[in-house]
Amino acid sequence: MKSTTTSKVKQFSIFDFLKAIIDLKPDWDKFTVEQKKTFNNFMIHKFLSMNPKYIEIVNYIQKLNIQDSKKLYEVYCFMIPQSKNTYSPFVKSNVKKMSSPEALQHVSEYFKCSTSEASEYIQLTDEKWLENILLSKGVDEKQVKKLIKNG
């Protein structure tokens, strides 16, 4: 029986590129074509900027408006000091997400906006605000409590 195993090159993620920029600093030409295709300038800027140590560097480099992935990678490798600690305190939202489509629909109708905009409104406000909107739309009090609880 023939062996059908082939050596696959590991698919790079954003975190692999961040480690490469911060710690390993390999030459761009060492990456495969498939790995190079996964390099995303925007995501590199975004994730590096979440680390307070690199925010000024990222701000400066973004103003240069480098579009070529190879050049951007090389500039970051040059500008960011090598460090074994690639941990970055990524910013996470502590806002509760509203998942009730019915509540979203009511807020959307109330403000005459899209449901995505309605979702943002809900995230920026408190439950009392949402309760008042739902009641003004004629939703029963028991249903209001249920919609807010499900959110």
Side-chain angles (χ1 to χ4, degrees):
M1 226 163 124
K2 288 186 178 179
S3 175
T4 58
T5 58
T6 57
S7 62
K8 287 187 176 181
V9 177
K10 180 184 178 242
Q11 180 71 25
F12 260 32
S13 71
I14 183 72
F15 301 105
D16 294 314
F17 278 114
L18 292 172
K19 183 173 181 153
I21 290 169
I22 297 168
D23 180 18
L24 305 173
K25 301 193 183 285
D27 188 51
W28 177 259
D29 296 327
K30 301 253 184 207
F31 298 120
T32 66
V33 174
E34 290 79 25
Q35 290 170 334
K36 290 176 187 177
K37 285 180 184 177
T38 63
F39 188 89
N40 184 316
N41 294 2
F42 171 76
M43 294 304 289
I44 294 295
H45 289 310
K46 180 179 178 177
F47 278 88
L48 286 174
S49 71
M50 289 182 186
N51 189 324
K53 296 186 294 187
Y54 308 134
I55 196 159
E56 289 182 24
I57 295 170
V58 174
N59 188 37
Y60 175 77
I61 292 173
Q62 280 183 310
K63 288 179 183 176
L64 298 175
N65 198 24
I66 300 170
Q67 300 297 317
D68 182 49
S69 296
K70 177 182 179 181
K71 288 181 183 174
L72 182 67
Y73 173 80
E74 291 170 346
V75 168
Y76 270 129
C77 284
F78 178 76
M79 297 282 291
I80 292 181
Q82 187 168 9
S83 171
K84 294 288 181 199
N85 183 9
T86 59
Y87 170 78
S88 291
F90 298 118
V91 178
K92 293 183 180 180
S93 173
N94 60 358
V95 177
K96 188 172 110 178
K97 305 290 184 215
M98 173 52 73
S99 60
S100 169
E102 191 176 341
L104 282 174
Q105 189 61 38
H106 284 297
V107 173
S108 173
E109 290 170 3
Y110 182 84
F111 286 106
K112 295 178 177 53
C113 65
S114 69
T115 53
S116 61
E117 287 175 307
S119 176
E120 288 179 32
Y121 295 161
I122 292 170
Q123 290 176 15
L124 294 172
T125 57
D126 60 4
E127 288 182 3
K128 189 68 178 164
W129 176 88
L130 179 58
E131 183 179 334
N132 289 336
I133 297 290
L134 293 173
L135 288 172
S136 72
K137 291 290 293 170
V139 179
D140 181 59
E141 272 192 57
K142 289 181 182 178
Q143 186 68 12
V144 167
K145 301 280 187 215
K146 183 179 173 187
L147 290 174
I148 292 174
K149 184 179 175 185
N150 289 340

